[in-house]
Amino acid sequence: MKISDIDAFQIFDSRGHPTIEAEVTLDSGIRGSASVPSGASRGKFEALELRDHDPLKYQGQSVFKAIKNINGEIREALMGSPVANQPAIDQTLIRLDGTENKSRLGANAILAVSMAVARAAANSKNIPLFQSLGDGRGCLLPLPEIQMIGGGAHSGGRIDVQDFMIICNGATTYAQCLEMSYNVYKHCGRLLKQRNLLAGLADEGGYWPEFDTHEAAFDVIMEAIESAGYLPGKEVSFSLDIAGSELYAGGKYHLRLENRSLSPLEFFNLIRQWCANYPILSIEDPFSEDDRDNWARLTQDVGSKINIIGDDLFTTRVDKVKDGIANGLANSVLIKLNQIGTVTETLECIQYTQEAGWFPVISGRSGETEDPFIAHLAVATDAGQLKLGALARSERTVKWNEVLRIERSLGDKAHFLGAKLFDRNLAR
Ligand code: 2PG
Ligand code: MG
C-alpha cells in the first residue's frame, strides 16, 4: 500500500505547549496518526525541535512552520511511497532535510510523519503496532522506572536531582510492578502531606516537594517503601535521573537546594556516597555530557552492580553510543524518539545497544501527548525497561495502561523478566 496523503495540525502537549499531530493516509483509505512529545532538559546533540519563535503566536511556542513543512515538502516527497518500507521513507526524510540535526524541516515535523507512517503500516497489516515494529520479536514486557518525586527542570529547580524513581526489582509480573509502585507513590504522597512538604505535582506527575536536602528525599521514599510493606533494595530500589548537564556550569556542579558548588570530584564523591547509603539500581546522567572522566570513573567503580544510563550523553545516536562503549562511559542507553527524529534511527540505536550487551531504556519526555507509541516500541524491541514519569496523569498512564493491553493481547506469549534482565546482562 502506498501513501496517498499526509496532513498535520497543531495540538497541545501535557505542559499545554503546542505540538504536532500528523496523519498519513494510504491509497486503500487506511490511516495512521501520531503526535510528538517535547523535552525540557535537553542534550546538546539532540535533533532540533522547530518552533516559530513569533512572540505574537502562542508566545513563540507555536509549530506552524514545522506543520507547513509536513503539509508541503514532506507530503510531496512521500506521496506514492510504499508504506511498508519504513527505512526508505525515513531515509527520504533525512535526505530531504539535509542537515545534521534535522533543523531545516524540524525533527518534530520529521518524527511526527515517521511515527504516523509506522502506525499506518501496522494498520495496513491489521496488526498491533508492537507486532508490526517488532517484525517477528516483541513479547517482553518492560520493567518500569516510575517517578515518585520530580525536580530539576520539571519543578522549577526546587530540588536539583530531576527524577527520584523506583524500580520494583522484587516484582514477578508487570502488573505487580504497577501495584507496588502505586502503593509506594500513595504512601509517599501521604507522608509529604503530613509533614507539610508537598508543593504540588511536577511535570511528570511525581510530587513537587519542599525539601532542604537531597537526603531528605531519599529518606521519605525509603519510609514510603517500608510503609507500603516492601523491603528496600530487595523488593523496591531507587532509580535516579540526575540530569547532570543541567547542574554543570564553569566546570562545577551547582546545587541550588544546598546553596553550594562542587568540583567534579566532589560531585562524584557525593554520588558514590548516595550509592553506598541507599539501594540504588540505576543512575541516569549522573554527570554532564562534557564531564567524561567522571562517567568513566563511576562506570568503572559501580557499573557491575548499577545501571549507568546515558541520556544527554548519547541522545539516542549510534555514533555517541559507539564512543560510549569504546571508552566505558556507561552501560545503558536512554532511548527517546525525538532526540534523533525518526523511527528507523531509533530502532537502529536500540539494536546497537542490545548487540553490545548494554541495556536500552525506552523513555518518554517531560512534555508528553496521549500517544502510547513508546509502550509499543518497548515491547516490540524486547527493550526490557520503560521510563515515563509517574503512575499519574493521563499522558503517562495512557502508556502504562497500553502495556497492560498489550499483555492481554499477547496472552501466553507475554514474557516478563523484571530485574532478572540485569542478572543476565551484567553476568555477560
Ligand atoms: C529526561 C526526560 C524525561 P526531558 O531527562 O530523561 O524524564 O526529561 O523530557 O525534560 O528531557
Ligand atoms: Mg534524563
Side-chain angles (χ1 to χ4, degrees):
M1 287 182 210
K2 295 190 172 146
I3 294 175
S4 64
D5 198 10
I6 301 180
D7 179 33
F9 57 103
Q10 186 170 284
I11 60 164
F12 295 89
D13 72 15
S14 56
R15 273 192 280 256
H17 290 313
T19 187
I20 303 172
E21 179 155 323
E23 186 176 60
V24 167
T25 306
L26 307 180
D27 48 10
S28 58
I30 287 171
R31 291 159 196 253
S33 61
S35 56
V36 290
S38 174
S41 65
R42 295 190 197 144
K44 262 201 285 202
F45 299 101
E46 288 197 23
L48 184 118
E49 179 183 270
L50 188 63
R51 295 209 178 260
D52 297 337
H53 301 295
D54 175 349
L56 298 178
K57 285 188 199 146
Y58 295 85
Q59 303 175 19
Q61 296 294 320
S62 59
V63 287
F64 295 124
K65 278 185 208 158
I67 287 171
K68 193 164 164 238
N69 291 339
I70 295 177
N71 293 340
E73 266 188 73
I74 290 179
R75 179 179 180 276
E76 204 166 300
L78 294 185
M79 287 288 271
S81 300
V83 72
N85 197 345
Q86 181 94 37
I89 288 174
D90 287 342
Q91 242 340 294
T92 303
L93 290 168
I94 292 165
R95 238 183 292 117
L96 185 68
D97 174 79
T99 67
E100 164 73 6
N101 63 348
K102 303 187 173 68
S103 54
R104 195 178 76 78
L105 297 170
N108 43 351
I110 291 172
L111 181 64
V113 172
S114 179
M115 288 164 66
V117 165
R119 273 241 168 69
N123 294 345
S124 75
K125 291 180 262 179
N126 202 18
I127 56 174
L129 180 60
F130 74 90
Q131 223 171 305
S132 174
L133 283 175
D135 202 18
R137 53 180 195 160
C139 57
L140 183 64
L141 305 176
L143 176 64
E145 289 187 63
I146 299 191
Q147 193 187 62
M148 298 289 123
I149 287 173
H154 304 163
S155 69
R158 185 56 189 83
I159 184 167
D160 299 284
V161 168
Q162 184 182 280
D163 295 75
F164 283 89
M165 298 169 285
I166 58 166
I167 294 180
C168 297
N169 51 309
T172 53
T173 65
Y174 173 77
Q176 195 189 1
C177 286
L178 298 190
E179 180 183 356
M180 291 168 77
S181 302
Y182 172 90
N183 289 333
V184 177
Y185 179 71
K186 296 297 175 198
H187 276 284
C188 188
R190 177 185 56 78
L191 290 169
L192 290 170
K193 205 163 178 190
Q194 274 170 3
R195 292 168 196 178
N196 277 328
L197 295 172
L198 190 57
L201 290 189
D203 282 358
E204 299 194 349
Y207 300 113
W208 178 324
E210 296 284 356
F211 290 124
D212 294 326
T213 65
H214 287 97
E215 287 72 20
F218 280 108
D219 291 341
V220 85
I221 296 173
M222 282 288 266
E223 209 179 323
I225 294 169
E226 284 165 347
S227 304
Y230 304 121
L231 289 173
K234 274 211 149 14
E235 294 173 309
V236 181
S237 298
F238 283 95
S239 170
L240 305 175
D241 180 0
I242 294 180
S245 302
E246 299 283 307
L247 309 176
Y248 194 65
K252 292 209 160 206
Y253 289 90
H254 304 278
L255 297 181
R256 285 214 326 215
L257 182 61
E258 296 159 29
N259 198 16
R260 55 187 183 137
S261 298
L262 305 183
S263 70
L265 186 59
E266 288 167 332
F267 194 60
F268 172 86
N269 286 333
L270 178 65
I271 289 177
R272 276 299 277 114
Q273 202 180 315
W274 288 344
C275 293
N277 294 347
Y278 301 100
I280 296 174
L281 198 51
S282 293
I283 309 182
E284 179 183 327
D285 280 357
F287 309 111
S288 154
E289 62 252 67
D290 295 328
D291 186 10
R292 293 166 63 92
D293 290 352
N294 257 345
W295 277 95
R297 197 183 297 152
L298 190 69
T299 304
Q300 178 84 24
D301 215 14
V302 298
S304 62
K305 295 189 279 300
I306 296 181
N307 302 310
I308 310 291
I309 308 169
D311 170 14
D312 294 350
L313 181 70
F314 297 136
T315 57
T316 315
R317 284 174 53 154
V318 169
D319 58 337
K320 301 262 167 217
V321 176
K322 205 179 264 184
D323 168 66
I325 291 168
N327 293 290
L329 300 183
N331 59 26
S332 306
V333 181
L334 204 78
I335 301 286
K336 291 167 168 168
L337 283 151
N338 76 334
Q339 278 182 330
I340 184 70
T342 62
V343 171
T344 303
E345 288 165 291
T346 306
L347 291 171
E348 279 166 6
C349 192
I350 296 169
Q351 193 182 344
Y352 190 84
T353 302
Q354 289 173 321
E355 282 173 4
W358 282 28
F359 313 125
V361 181
I362 309 298
S363 173
R365 303 282 335 214
S366 49
E368 266 297 336
T369 72
E370 305 90 332
D371 192 329
F373 195 102
I374 58 170
H376 288 264
L377 181 66
V379 179
T381 55
D382 290 335
Q385 293 181 81
L386 182 60
K387 172 199 174 193
L388 50 92
L391 189 58
R393 299 180 39 147
S394 294
E395 80 278 6
R396 316 281 149 195
T397 53
V398 70
K399 298 162 180 70
W400 299 126
N401 290 340
E402 190 75 353
V403 177
L404 291 170
R405 293 185 193 103
I406 293 173
E407 181 177 20
R408 279 171 69 89
S409 79
L410 276 170
D412 288 349
K413 278 194 264 154
H415 188 48
F416 179 76
L417 274 176
K420 284 207 197 97
L421 182 83
F422 306 134
D423 304 341
R424 193 187 58 190
N425 279 279
L426 289 175
R428 166 182 54 97

